[in-house]
């Protein structure tokens, strides 16, 4: 017969499952599973799948308005490669064939920034082929302060999202290259199916994943103590 009672097993399962939902980074919890991220956010404030765009629209020199945010290239202005909302038929073919943001970053020269219309506590999206050359990283900013960063995956439709769990809020995110390859080599990739949640002003969020995992382990410890010989 197992030494653990059903309640203890359930607590352990809950704690471990929640602990594996995302990876923590100094006030940021990162997710690579969209279902887990959506459940942890608890309610979205905005989303963007670019379906309203029927013609290409460049964000190289001026921002393009999206739902709950805007997108614009930063850095050198003499390279007009990509950095546009691309509507079908796609030239680059860097997503699943629907309208999307076709991005290009180059280390030290060009980045792409998404600026939120309101302070943000959670954001995520899907990338296509973001590791073909220099690689790309998603950076979270509160004004000029960098809150955290995470590399985009090389898959097609690979999800990456975050939740700010330490009381911080973000004003923007930026996409930059990871490597600095000499010459014109940069990183071109597709980005689609964006979503996010606005910050709750005046409310300090509890680190849900870590806290709930801790509760699961505490419950397990209590169950063990109840079974210990006196």
């Amino acid at each position: 017969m197992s030494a653990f009672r059903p309640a203890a097993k359930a607590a352990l399962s809950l704690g471990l499952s929640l602990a594996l939902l995302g990876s923590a980074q100094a006030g940021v919890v990162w997710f690579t599973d969209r279902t887990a991220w959506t459940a942890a956010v608890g309610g979205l404030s905005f989303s963007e799948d670019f379906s309203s765009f029927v013609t290409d629209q460049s964000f190289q020199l001026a921002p393009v308005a999206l739902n709950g945010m805007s997108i614009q290239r930063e850095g050198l202005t003499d390279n007009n490669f990509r950095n546009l909302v691309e509507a079908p038929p796609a030239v680059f073919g860097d997503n699943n064939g629907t309208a999307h943001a076709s991005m290009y970053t180059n280390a030290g020269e060009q980045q792409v920034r998404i600026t939120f219309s309101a302070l943000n506590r959670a954001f995520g999206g899907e990338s296509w082929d973001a590791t073909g050359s220099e690689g790309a990283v998603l950076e979270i900013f509160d004004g000029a302060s960098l809150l955290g960063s995470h590399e985009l995956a090389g898959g097609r439709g690979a999800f990456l999202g975050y939740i700010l769990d330490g009381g911080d809020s973000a004003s923007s995110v930026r996409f930059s290259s990871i490597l600095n390859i000499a010459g014109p080599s940069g990183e071109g990739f597709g980005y689609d199916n964006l979503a996010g949640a606005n910050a709750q002003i005046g409310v300090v969020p509890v680190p849900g994943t870590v806290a709930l995992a801790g509760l699961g382990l505490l419950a397990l410890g209590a169950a063990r103590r109840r079974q210990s010989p006196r």
Side-chain angles (χ1 to χ4, degrees):
M1 182 174 179
S2 172
F4 295 109
R5 293 179 180 175
K9 288 183 179 179
L12 178 59
S13 177
L14 172 65
L16 293 178
S17 297
L18 291 168
L20 292 173
L21 284 178
S23 58
Q25 182 190 77
V28 183
V29 179
W30 294 95
F31 293 78
T32 55
D33 181 274
R34 185 170 205 126
T35 300
W37 174 80
T38 302
V41 171
L44 297 174
S45 304
F46 57 88
S47 63
E48 178 63 77
D49 64 2
F50 301 98
S51 59
S52 63
F53 290 83
V54 295
T55 59
D56 294 353
Q57 191 165 348
S58 171
F59 49 83
Q60 294 171 357
L61 300 179
V64 169
L66 307 175
N67 292 325
M69 54 199 151
S70 63
I71 185 170
Q72 184 174 12
R73 179 189 68 175
E74 295 183 338
L76 295 181
T77 59
D78 59 352
N79 188 330
N80 295 322
F81 183 59
R82 293 197 180 188
N83 288 327
L84 74 162
V85 176
E86 189 176 27
V91 173
F92 299 107
D94 52 9
N95 83 329
N96 59 2
T98 64
H100 65 287
S102 181
M103 298 192 190
Y104 175 77
T105 63
N106 199 345
E109 295 184 354
Q110 288 191 60
Q111 304 84 35
V112 174
R113 188 180 297 271
I114 291 176
T115 302
F116 301 115
S117 302
L119 290 178
N120 170 270
R121 67 179 179 89
F123 178 75
E126 297 167 4
S127 61
W128 274 256
D129 304 327
T131 60
S133 182
E134 292 187 338
V137 61
L138 171 64
E139 303 168 316
I140 311 168
F141 284 90
D142 177 8
S145 299
L146 179 64
L147 301 180
S149 63
H150 197 292
E151 295 181 13
L152 298 181
R156 298 182 62 80
F159 178 78
L160 177 65
Y162 67 77
I163 297 177
L164 300 176
D165 70 351
D168 291 320
S169 57
S171 57
S172 67
V173 294
R174 187 177 72 175
F175 298 87
S176 302
S177 290
I178 300 170
L179 303 176
N180 188 355
I181 300 176
S185 295
E187 187 60 60
F189 58 98
Y191 198 62
D192 203 353
N193 300 319
L194 291 58
N198 297 337
Q200 297 174 316
I201 306 302
V203 177
V204 179
V206 175
T209 302
V210 177
L212 289 173
L215 287 174
L217 295 176
L218 286 174
L220 172 61
R224 281 178 168 173
R225 285 194 297 273
R226 285 195 298 270
Q227 296 176 72
S228 298
R230 296 184 181 276

